[in-house]
Amino acid sequence: MEKTFWNSLDVPAGVRLNHLLSRVSEPDKDIIDFSLTEPLHKPPSFVVEEYKKYAPTIGKAINGAGGFGGLRELRGTIFSWAKARHAVKSKTFTENNVIATNGGSEAIFSAIQILAEGKREGYIVLPNPADPIYETAGRIAGLEPIYCSTMTSQQPTYRDLSEEQWAEVKVLVVNSPADPNGADLPVLTWEFLLKQSEEYGFYILSDERLNSIHRGKPPPGLLEMADSNDNPDMNRCVVVNDLTFRSNLAGMPSGFLAGDREFIKKANIYRAYHGLYIPVPNQKAAKLAWEDEDHVIENNKKYAGKFKDAPKRCNTSLPASDSLYGHYLWIRVPGDDIAFAVTAYGRTGVKVMPGQLLGKKTGNVNPAIGMVRIALIHNPGVCAAGLLELCKMVNPKHRSQTMGPS
Amino acid sequence: MEKTFWNSLDVPAGVRLNHLLSRVSEPDKDIIDFSLTEPLHKPPSFVVEEYKKYAPTIGKAINGAGGFGGLRELRGTIFSWAKARHAVKSKTFTENNVIATNGGSEAIFSAIQILAEGKREGYIVLPNPADPIYETAGRIAGLEPIYCSTMTSQQPTYRDLSEEQWAEVKVLVVNSPADPNGADLPVLTWEFLLKQSEEYGFYILSDERLNSIHRGKPPPGLLEMADSNDNPDMNRCVVVNDLTFRSNLAGMPSGFLAGDREFIKKANIYRAYHGLYIPVPNQKAAKLAWEDEDHVIENNKKYAGKFKDAPKRCNTSLPASDSLYGHYLWIRVPGDDIAFAVTAYGRTGVKVMPGQLLGKKTGNVNPAIGMVRIALIHNPGVCAAGLLELCKMVNPKHRSQTMGPS
């Protein structure tokens, strides 16, 4: 392929992993794939039924904001969900601060293009390691990334930015709870970022896609932090969420952008011109998924069982400590993470995501070296079996603290 | 709203029209809306059934090109359709020269972003008047538009470009058959453009979305023109098509990009990072729609009846001559087109699209002044009634040459 802007961008982590694994011979065991990001739990059947019910509408476009930013009824439902979930008291925060999107990734990419304002200058501040979409969307929008490692304290090292750098920031991306480490941003850090945003005028883009998966309570998000810090209009604040993780709807990407009203207006223009239409069956199904919390509780019970089992299953062989949020284990492995992933795949058929493929080198160091990400997306028996294989590889004398199938 | 890059872009023509019409009092007649672009004929029921059948797949994402550029089976079907439709003989043109998209607009916008290569310099050459998406996508990509009026000869005035301008062209957009005038590009013009593209290195983006609506045969397109002009690899050639017009599926935008293989690879990267996932029900339904020509023949019969009726219905009051392609009448009206549209709406309840809202002023002249676009998308009786109202407004003594309901 000729050298171009487009192929100078990072190849997605999953593609790079498959390339690495293609060098070892195919294991003669069943593959257990922990390297994925998307859940494998089933979507709620009432959501699927609603989608089916509206199939006959596909002949006719719903014009304007109904097609591109969501029907008023869907925006209303998302607004109510966001307001209730985040206990927003602001009276100026309404359904006009919300638009629907075709999933969280589309929303993040769109938001970054919009916030760059076509100027192709300034910084995008990113957690490191993180979902590579932030960096790639930033580069396509002409923004230069500043990486804040999360490996020292689980939290991005925002304090390292100089005043000169802060002055040139266009977008700062928060991911709470974070992929891969599951950590939520502390309230003091939220407050620091809101203060910086007010002082320097940059936007905070908060990716909260994992906040419906929790062992306990959902973590705070940007909307409530802005609301409780004298910013009821959500100025310079943009939140992304979706149904992929909340409702196991990875095959029907559906999400939203919420926050700053001027931003939402621009997002409407961008999405309409990009032809990012949302089919009616998708909108109707999404509405039901945001309205119902029972399926989210059920979903969390399934994850909770697996996260409770993992530390006992792994015992001292791998440090699979429980985390409060998300569906990933983020654990340190002996030696190099890529070597670990390749060996694990070849010997046991278990696929894990090496940290280095999620982290970016800065100063010649990849902060995520030695870590692997394990998505507990399979049923409990398969998750337990996969973890056991990894533990036995690390420690031939491994014994679990639990005997059950989970 | 604060002044920004995003709201400096043109507001969509339909929104501007509604704004103009909001100044007159609501007519006390039934509204007949000829100002739309999207068909109102019904989609094939077997396509809707297929969509419904695959509703249960929405829980699971199909990763990689299957989700973002189309399942291999869909790309194969589109490839076969394009090859057969355009009698492509090239042996290097394969299903790898094709990706599926979420509709034609998404494809056009994506293609222009990709072809601009993030450099934000150079020209995009556009027909004038035309679908405003070309210009807006070009501006968002940082390209400067050069408008080629189609009002002198029905064809864009490419010969007016200077050599200096040709040297800086990044993308030239062809729309054949054209919105609004229904004209197809002559073979000699195709050959001229292919020669220019080879000499100056720019890409031709050919929007062929209207080529499944015809009274007679489909017109030639870029793939066969490249193939028969010593460019079997389709270098620098990109074709867009979709099912909105072919199969009346405006509510499930589904289309494709085909041509230059290096471009297709870049489009795969762009679309994956933008999260432009194509749900499986959409892909399965689209596959059936590309495989079947019977519904296209039926659809064309419906349009043919309306296009045959229109000139007789309008007689000498309005010059509604038949056109070979597309679903629009593009006719000259007495006086100013905006005044005509506003008066027609207020007096008769008939909405038409004023040409000026589709044309761009160059040298202080809007080439589409005095023209209106009428989409014959309603059933024959409604189309006839709407045309009759317009004729009677123009000429109180109007008589149709036909008495039937059409």
Side-chain angles (χ1 to χ4, degrees):
Chain A
M1 203 191 288
E2 54 173 322
K3 258 291 162 205
T4 68
F5 174 72
W6 293 102
N7 55 36
S8 74
L9 301 170
D10 275 355
V11 173
V15 176
R16 283 192 286 162
L17 177 60
N18 287 338
H19 184 69
L20 287 167
L21 299 184
S22 69
R23 297 182 196 164
V24 295
S25 47
E26 189 94 351
D28 62 352
K29 305 199 171 191
D30 287 345
I31 307 295
I32 296 178
D33 194 345
F34 285 143
S35 73
L36 303 171
T37 57
E38 280 135 353
L40 292 174
H41 294 173
K42 284 222 171 356
S45 56
F46 62 88
V47 173
V48 175
E49 284 310 311
E50 191 77 352
Y51 187 86
K52 215 187 273 186
K53 182 174 152 195
Y54 282 92
T57 65
I58 60 174
K60 212 178 151 194
I62 305 294
N63 286 314
F68 294 105
L71 294 164
R72 191 170 176 144
E73 56 176 311
L74 174 59
R75 287 189 294 119
T77 294
I78 292 172
F79 162 71
S80 301
W81 179 86
K83 190 176 161 72
R85 156 64 60 98
H86 297 296
V88 175
K89 291 177 201 73
S90 165
K91 282 181 181 134
T92 55
F93 180 72
T94 72
E95 69 191 27
N96 292 327
N97 295 69
V98 172
I99 56 170
T101 70
N102 282 318
S105 298
E106 186 257 277
I108 291 165
F109 191 98
S110 295
I112 292 174
Q113 305 312 305
I114 294 157
L115 294 174
E117 293 271 336
K119 287 191 198 109
R120 305 192 76 74
E121 54 184 32
Y123 294 116
I124 182 167
V125 180
L126 307 174
N128 184 20
D131 185 336
I133 188 181
Y134 311 137
E135 186 209 334
T136 311
R139 287 199 187 278
I140 291 173
L143 301 176
E144 190 184 329
I146 295 178
Y147 306 100
C148 294
S149 169
T150 59
M151 291 307 297
T152 321
S153 64
Q154 295 225 314
Q155 299 298 334
T157 51
Y158 295 123
R159 306 263 170 191
D160 291 352
L161 268 75
S162 69
E163 202 171 312
E164 288 71 27
Q165 284 178 313
W166 281 115
E168 300 300 326
V169 173
K170 284 277 176 305
V171 189
L172 181 143
V173 179
V174 171
N175 181 212
S176 176
D179 167 10
N181 72 8
D184 66 316
L185 208 68
V187 169
L188 282 177
T189 310
W190 279 118
E191 290 176 350
F192 169 73
L193 294 179
L194 283 162
K195 199 177 69 54
Q196 295 297 92
S197 159
E198 191 175 0
E199 183 167 345
Y200 294 102
F202 62 81
Y203 275 75
I204 302 174
L205 176 63
S206 181
D207 175 358
E208 304 180 0
R209 288 179 290 170
L210 291 181
N211 78 357
S212 284
I213 306 181
H214 47 81
R215 269 72 67 191
K217 276 190 212 167
L222 178 54
L223 295 176
E224 68 203 89
M225 284 295 131
D227 190 41
S228 60
N229 279 276
D230 276 337
N231 186 0
D233 295 343
M234 314 295 171
N235 291 323
R236 301 172 308 282
C237 293
V238 178
V239 166
V240 174
N241 213 325
D242 76 9
L243 296 172
T244 293
F245 302 102
R246 171 181 166 84
S247 306
N248 303 307
L249 284 162
M252 182 201 85
S254 180
F256 70 77
L257 287 162
D260 186 293
R261 199 172 295 188
E262 290 300 320
F263 165 82
I264 294 295
K265 284 182 192 165
K266 294 173 202 167
N268 251 327
I269 299 171
Y270 174 86
R271 297 190 71 266
Y273 272 118
H274 204 323
L276 302 179
Y277 183 85
I278 313 175
V280 170
N282 174 317
Q283 299 202 44
K284 295 286 186 176
K287 183 172 187 291
L288 292 199
W290 289 110
E291 275 168 3
D292 179 79
E293 293 298 326
D294 290 348
H295 77 281
V296 180
I297 294 168
E298 280 310 304
N299 196 41
N300 274 320
K301 277 189 196 153
K302 288 187 201 161
Y303 282 119
K306 294 188 271 186
F307 274 89
K308 201 173 165 194
D309 177 70
K312 290 186 241 164
R313 185 74 50 189
C314 295
N315 204 344
T316 55
S317 302
L318 282 174
S321 59
D322 195 359
S323 77
L324 287 174
Y325 307 112
H327 59 312
Y328 299 120
L329 291 173
W330 175 240
I331 59 180
R332 189 163 294 284
V333 292
D336 182 83
D337 50 303
I338 291 180
F340 180 90
V342 171
T343 309
Y345 179 70
R347 287 203 205 153
T348 70
V350 177
K351 272 175 89 171
V352 300
M353 178 58 74
Q356 285 182 78
L357 301 191
L358 303 171
K360 291 295 290 189
K361 267 193 185 176
T362 58
N364 226 16
V365 178
N366 189 318
I369 196 165
M371 305 296 293
V372 302
R373 192 186 71 184
I374 289 172
L376 294 183
I377 51 182
H378 304 278
N379 70 44
V382 173
C383 286
L387 291 175
L388 208 55
E389 288 286 354
L390 295 176
C391 290
K392 285 196 281 189
M393 184 182 89
V394 170
N395 172 13
K397 295 183 181 162
H398 173 77
R399 278 166 185 262
S400 291
Q401 287 182 294
T402 174
M403 293 304 288
S406 135
Chain B
M1 204 190 289
E2 56 173 319
K3 258 292 162 207
T4 67
F5 174 73
W6 293 102
N7 55 36
S8 74
L9 301 170
D10 275 355
V11 173
V15 176
R16 283 192 286 163
L17 177 61
N18 287 338
H19 184 69
L20 288 167
L21 299 184
S22 69
R23 296 181 197 164
V24 295
S25 46
E26 189 93 353
D28 62 353
K29 305 199 171 192
D30 287 345
I31 308 295
I32 296 179
D33 194 345
F34 285 143
S35 73
L36 303 171
T37 57
E38 279 135 353
L40 292 174
H41 294 173
K42 285 223 172 355
S45 56
F46 62 88
V47 173
V48 175
E49 285 309 311
E50 191 77 352
Y51 187 87
K52 214 186 274 186
K53 183 174 151 194
Y54 282 92
T57 65
I58 60 174
K60 211 178 152 194
I62 305 294
N63 286 314
F68 294 106
L71 294 164
R72 192 173 175 141
E73 56 176 311
L74 174 59
R75 287 189 294 118
T77 294
I78 293 172
F79 162 71
S80 301
W81 179 86
K83 189 176 162 72
R85 157 63 61 97
H86 297 297
V88 175
K89 290 177 201 72
S90 165
K91 283 181 180 133
T92 54
F93 181 72
T94 72
E95 69 191 28
N96 292 327
N97 295 70
V98 172
I99 57 169
T101 71
N102 282 317
S105 298
E106 186 257 276
I108 291 165
F109 191 99
S110 295
I112 292 174
Q113 305 312 305
I114 294 157
L115 294 174
E117 293 271 336
K119 287 190 198 110
R120 305 192 77 74
E121 55 185 32
Y123 294 116
I124 182 167
V125 180
L126 307 174
N128 184 21
D131 185 336
I133 189 181
Y134 311 137
E135 186 209 333
T136 310
R139 286 199 187 278
I140 291 173
L143 301 176
E144 190 184 329
I146 295 178
Y147 306 101
C148 294
S149 169
T150 59
M151 290 307 297
T152 321
S153 63
Q154 296 224 313
Q155 299 298 334
T157 51
Y158 295 124
R159 306 263 171 191
D160 290 351
L161 267 75
S162 69
E163 202 171 312
E164 288 70 28
Q165 285 178 312
W166 280 116
E168 300 300 327
V169 173
K170 284 278 176 305
V171 189
L172 181 144
V173 179
V174 171
N175 181 212
S176 177
D179 168 10
N181 72 8
D184 65 316
L185 207 69
V187 169
L188 282 176
T189 309
W190 280 118
E191 290 176 350
F192 169 73
L193 294 179
L194 284 162
K195 200 177 67 54
Q196 295 297 92
S197 159
E198 192 176 358
E199 184 167 344
Y200 295 103
F202 62 80
Y203 275 75
I204 302 174
L205 176 63
S206 181
D207 175 359
E208 304 181 359
R209 288 179 290 170
L210 292 181
N211 78 357
S212 284
I213 306 182
H214 48 80
R215 270 71 68 192
K217 276 191 212 166
L222 178 55
L223 294 176
E224 68 203 90
M225 284 295 131
D227 190 41
S228 59
N229 279 275
D230 276 338
N231 186 1
D233 294 342
M234 314 295 170
N235 291 323
R236 301 172 309 282
C237 293
V238 178
V239 167
V240 174
N241 213 325
D242 76 8
L243 296 172
T244 293
F245 302 102
R246 171 181 166 83
S247 306
N248 303 307
L249 284 163
M252 182 201 85
S254 180
F256 69 77
L257 287 162
D260 186 293
R261 199 173 294 187
E262 290 300 320
F263 165 82
I264 293 295
K265 284 182 192 165
K266 293 172 202 167
N268 251 328
I269 298 171
Y270 174 86
R271 297 191 71 267
Y273 272 118
H274 203 323
L276 302 179
Y277 183 85
I278 313 175
V280 170
N282 175 317
Q283 299 202 45
K284 295 286 187 177
K287 182 172 187 292
L288 291 199
W290 289 111
E291 276 168 3
D292 179 78
E293 293 299 325
D294 290 349
H295 77 281
V296 180
I297 294 168
E298 280 310 305
N299 196 40
N300 275 320
K301 277 189 196 153
K302 287 187 201 162
Y303 282 120
K306 295 188 271 186
F307 274 89
K308 201 173 165 194
D309 177 70
K312 291 186 241 164
R313 185 74 51 189
C314 295
N315 203 345
T316 55
S317 302
L318 283 173
S321 60
D322 195 0
S323 76
L324 287 174
Y325 307 112
H327 58 312
Y328 299 120
L329 291 173
W330 175 239
I331 59 180
R332 189 164 293 283
V333 292
D336 181 83
D337 50 302
I338 291 180
F340 180 91
V342 171
T343 310
Y345 179 71
R347 287 204 205 152
T348 70
V350 177
K351 272 175 88 171
V352 299
M353 178 57 74
Q356 285 181 78
L357 301 191
L358 303 170
K360 291 295 290 189
K361 268 192 184 175
T362 58
N364 226 17
V365 178
N366 189 318
I369 196 165
M371 304 296 293
V372 302
R373 192 186 71 184
I374 289 172
L376 295 183
I377 51 181
H378 304 279
N379 70 45
V382 173
C383 286
L387 292 175
L388 208 55
E389 289 286 355
L390 295 177
C391 290
K392 285 197 282 188
M393 183 182 89
V394 170
N395 172 12
K397 294 183 181 162
H398 172 77
R399 278 167 185 261
S400 291
Q401 287 182 294
T402 174
M403 294 303 289
S406 139

